[in-house]
Amino acid sequence: MHGDLTQAQDSELVELRRDGASAPVLETLYRAARSVLQLETLDPAVPVSFADLGGRSRAAGAFSLLLEDIYGIPVEAGAIMNPTGDLHQLARQIERDRSASGPQRASFASVHGNGATVLEASDLTLDRFIDAATLDAAATLPPPGMGEPERVLLTGANGFLGRFLCLEWLKRLEASGGTLTCIARGSDDASARARLLEAFGRDDADLTTELDRLGSRLVVLAGDLAEPKLGLADERWAELAQGIDLIVHPAALVNHRLPYRQLFSPNVAGTAELIRLALTTRAKRIVNLSTIAMVGPDIDEDAPIRSAIPRWTVSDDYADGYASSKWAGEVLLADAHERFGLPVTTFRSYLAMAHSRYRGQINLTDMFTRWVLSLALTRIAPPSFYSGNVARAHYEGLPVDFIAAAIVAIGEARREGLHTFHVLNPHDDGVSLDDFVDWIGEGGFPCQKVAPFEAWLEQFETALRALPEASRRASLLPLMAAYSSPPPAVPGTLIATARFAAGVRETMPGGLGEIPHLGPQMMVKYLADLRASGLLDGG
C-alpha cells in the first residue's frame, strides 16, 4: 500500500512539473499542496493556509522548490507560511509575479547564481538590489541629522524582541514628542495594528496600561518585508521616505531549519529594501539586529564584515541558513555605509530570555523555553549538559527587557559611522544549564539524573514523544539535533563583548549600567509563565 501511494505521488509530481504551469494557478497550487502534504482531498474553492493543512517549515521548503520548478520563478517559504495569508493569496502573488514586466526583484539566483553553495561577499552589492536612479540620487543626499529622531520606523514589532523594542521606543518618543511607525502583516492597517497589540497579550495589567497610554504615538501599516517597497502603496512609500529619521530593523524570518535560499527574500532582499528606503529622498540612520551565530571567537565587534567573513559555505548545519542570511544583510549594510556614508549600528544578539517583570512574556517557540518546559515535564536530566570542567560553564542569554533597553540606548548614542556590538552575557560566574536544572527542581519540578548522557538522551526523547500533542509540539522534540552531544564547558564567553559592555556602562540609565547576571528568580519567572500558558501544571 505504501509503495502504491509513493508511486501515485511520484506520478502526480511528474505531471505537475510538466503541465502545472499551463493550468489555472489556483488549481496547480492545491494539487501541489495535496501532493507535498500527502492529503487525500483538498477543495480549491476553500481558502486555507499551508500551516492549517499541517505544513511546517520542511514541507514549506519542499513546496517552495516544487512551485519554482513549475513556474520558473522563486516562491519563498516565508510567503507560503505567511501567518495572515492562505493559498488563494499565494496564487494571486504567483500570478502577479508571472505577469510582472520590467526589472524583477533580486533573487538568490540573480545574486549568487543558481545552485551556488559558496556565497561570496563580493556578490552582495547594492547595485544587485537597488535601481541605478536611486543609487545615483543617493550620492547627492546630505547625511542624516544628528538630533533626536522624531519619526522612527520599526520592522518586526510582532516578534519577541521586536515588541519590546517597540515599547522602549514608544517610551523614548513620548519624552521627545515623536511617533513610531511599525510595519506588520495584515489585510489592512487596522488588522495589522490588532495583530501587533495581540502579540503583547493581556496577561499583565501594567503592560496593558502602558500600551494604552502610549498607543497614540503608534502608527501601524500593513506591509511585508518580503515585498517590493515593503508591500506599501507608492504614496505611502514616498511619505515614509520623506518623513522617517531612523530605521530600526529586527525583522527576519527566523527559521533554523530552512536554508539560505529560502530565507533570501525576507532576510536579504528585505534588508536591501530598507536600505533603499534609507537612501530615498533623505538619508536615514539604520539600527540593525543580527545574530551572534554568524561569528566566532576570532571576530572582533568592529571587524569589517567583508574581510572578516569574505565568503560563506552553505551547509545543512542547524541554523546555517538563518546565520548566513543575517551575514548577507550585514554585508549589504556595510556597502551602504562605505558607498554613501549611511550611519549603521548592528547588534548581534544571542538569546532574548523572558521579560524580567511582565507576566506571560516568554518566547514559547525559542530553544531555551522549549528546554525548560521539556525538563519540567519529563523530570529527567543528565548529570551535566557539558563535557569538561563543568564548574566553569556559563550561559550567555539575557532578559529581553534589558536587551531592548540596551539596543535603544547604545544605538541612539551612535549617530554616525559603522558600529557592531555583541549582545551577550559575558560573566565568568559559573551560572550554567546545570544550575538551571537545580532551579527547576527548586521551583517544584525536581529532575532525576540519568547517566550517561546518551542514556538520558534516549529516555528524554522517548518521554517527549509520549507527551500530549500540545506539549509535544511545544517541547524540544523538533530541535533534538542540537542536543545530540554535550558541548564543552566554557567559562564566560569566547566571543568579544568589550564594546557592548562599555556601551552599556556609558548609556544605560537608571542604575542598569552593567550587564546583569542570571539568578534563580529568572527560572521562577519561566515556570510561572509556563504554568500561565497552560503547558505546565503546578509542581
Side-chain angles (χ1 to χ4, degrees):
M1 185 182 297
H2 176 75
D4 290 343
L5 288 171
T6 302
Q7 184 176 1
Q9 184 189 34
D10 290 344
S11 298
E12 175 77 345
L13 292 175
V14 169
E15 287 185 20
L16 282 167
R17 288 186 171 93
R18 186 186 62 223
D19 305 324
S22 60
V25 173
L26 193 62
E27 176 187 320
T28 295
L29 213 56
Y30 272 69
R31 283 180 63 193
R34 188 176 66 240
S35 182
V36 168
L37 297 174
Q38 299 184 27
L39 303 173
E40 291 188 8
T41 59
L42 196 57
D43 184 359
V46 180
V48 64
S49 74
F50 191 76
D52 287 342
L53 293 173
R56 300 291 177 261
S57 57
R58 286 187 183 277
F63 191 47
S64 168
L65 293 175
L66 175 58
L67 295 177
E68 186 171 339
D69 285 347
I70 294 170
Y71 294 112
I73 57 174
V75 181
E76 305 294 342
I80 293 168
M81 298 299 289
N82 183 342
T84 66
D86 56 42
L87 293 182
H88 281 230
Q89 179 178 315
L90 183 62
R92 291 192 293 271
Q93 178 183 320
I94 292 173
E95 289 169 348
R96 287 196 305 270
D97 291 345
R98 292 181 76 194
S99 62
S101 58
Q104 299 296 302
R105 195 181 193 197
S107 66
F108 171 89
S110 69
V111 172
H112 298 290
N114 199 18
T117 58
V118 177
L119 314 174
E120 299 287 348
S122 57
D123 294 336
L124 293 157
T125 57
L126 293 180
D127 53 278
R128 299 280 188 96
F129 296 82
I130 301 175
D131 60 281
T134 298
L135 295 179
D136 289 344
T140 66
L141 295 176
M146 296 292 288
E148 189 83 10
E150 294 181 7
R151 288 192 60 187
V152 177
L153 176 69
L154 175 67
T155 69
N158 293 77
F160 184 56
L161 176 56
R163 76 184 72 150
F164 292 106
L165 287 169
C166 175
L167 188 61
E168 283 295 318
W169 267 110
L170 284 173
K171 290 189 288 187
R172 189 176 185 108
L173 290 166
E174 182 185 36
S176 64
T179 58
L180 178 69
T181 299
C182 295
I183 302 291
R185 283 171 164 172
S187 57
D188 53 31
D189 294 349
S191 66
R193 184 185 182 95
R195 284 191 70 242
L196 172 55
L197 295 176
E198 183 182 345
F200 285 95
R202 292 265 170 183
D203 295 323
D204 192 288
D206 290 343
L207 175 57
T208 299
T209 299
E210 191 155 32
L211 285 169
D212 290 343
R213 178 174 59 83
L214 297 169
S216 62
R217 303 203 172 275
L218 176 64
V219 176
V220 183
L221 304 179
D224 190 336
L225 203 65
E227 294 290 327
K229 294 187 177 180
L230 311 179
L232 303 174
D234 288 346
E235 60 273 15
R236 186 65 62 78
W237 171 270
E239 194 274 329
L240 291 180
Q242 176 62 47
I244 293 297
D245 303 307
L246 167 68
I247 297 171
V248 183
H249 178 39
L253 177 53
V254 182
N255 189 304
H256 293 162
R257 291 177 175 271
L258 290 177
Y260 173 85
R261 180 180 183 131
Q262 294 294 333
L263 299 173
F264 180 90
S265 182
N267 295 1
V268 185
T271 298
E273 205 68 359
L274 289 169
I275 295 172
R276 182 153 79 101
L277 181 64
L279 294 172
T280 299
T281 307
R282 52 194 291 259
K284 306 157 190 69
R285 293 189 291 120
I286 295 181
V287 172
N288 176 54
L289 270 292
S290 188
T291 175
I292 207 69
M294 56 170 279
V295 304
D298 56 337
I299 297 180
D300 196 18
E301 285 171 281
D302 277 347
I305 189 67
R306 285 186 186 273
S307 57
I309 311 177
R311 63 187 52 82
W312 192 291
T313 301
V314 174
S315 77
D316 293 328
D317 291 348
Y318 178 77
D320 178 80
Y322 175 67
S324 55
S325 73
K326 299 305 285 184
W327 162 78
E330 285 196 36
V331 173
L332 288 174
L333 287 162
D335 194 36
H337 172 74
E338 292 158 10
R339 292 181 60 177
F340 303 105
L342 202 68
V344 175
T345 303
T346 289
F347 295 88
R348 295 175 183 149
S349 184
Y350 178 51
L351 178 77
M353 304 179 79
H355 196 285
S356 59
R357 182 163 58 90
Y358 291 138
R359 287 193 304 274
Q361 294 301 327
I362 55 174
N363 188 359
L364 289 171
T365 61
D366 74 29
M367 182 181 289
F368 184 76
T369 306
R370 290 174 179 271
W371 181 88
V372 174
L373 175 65
S374 298
L375 264 69
L377 288 173
T378 63
R379 304 201 187 191
I380 54 174
S384 175
F385 276 94
Y386 304 92
S387 62
N389 180 14
V390 299
R392 301 312 305 162
H394 172 72
Y395 196 74
E396 295 171 317
L398 288 165
V400 66
D401 43 321
F402 172 81
I403 292 175
I407 287 171
V408 171
I410 297 172
E412 270 305 278
R414 305 295 190 275
R415 295 183 179 177
E416 56 184 346
L418 180 69
H419 306 278
T420 306
F421 297 90
H422 291 164
V423 184
L424 288 170
N425 175 348
H427 300 302
D428 181 7
D429 54 12
V431 175
S432 70
L433 290 173
D434 295 342
D435 294 281
F436 301 163
V437 173
D438 295 338
W439 297 345
I440 290 171
E442 293 167 7
F445 301 88
C447 293
Q448 175 188 355
K449 299 296 178 68
V450 177
F453 186 91
E454 294 73 18
W456 164 77
L457 190 65
E458 182 178 353
Q459 291 187 33
F460 185 60
E461 184 168 353
T462 300
L464 293 180
R465 292 189 183 281
L467 292 172
E469 182 180 359
S471 299
R472 187 170 63 249
R473 290 179 59 179
S475 76
L476 261 181
L477 197 57
L479 307 177
M480 285 298 293
Y483 286 87
S484 58
S485 60
V490 175
T493 181
L494 298 177
I495 296 174
T497 57
R499 288 183 180 86
F500 176 60
V504 169
R505 289 193 296 271
E506 292 166 7
T507 64
M508 294 287 282
L512 297 176
E514 292 293 338
I515 299 171
H517 292 257
L518 300 178
Q521 69 280 2
M522 173 271 293
M523 191 55 65
V524 171
K525 176 69 165 50
Y526 264 97
L527 295 174
D529 287 343
L530 285 170
R531 289 189 187 98
S533 75
L535 290 168
L536 187 64
D537 294 329

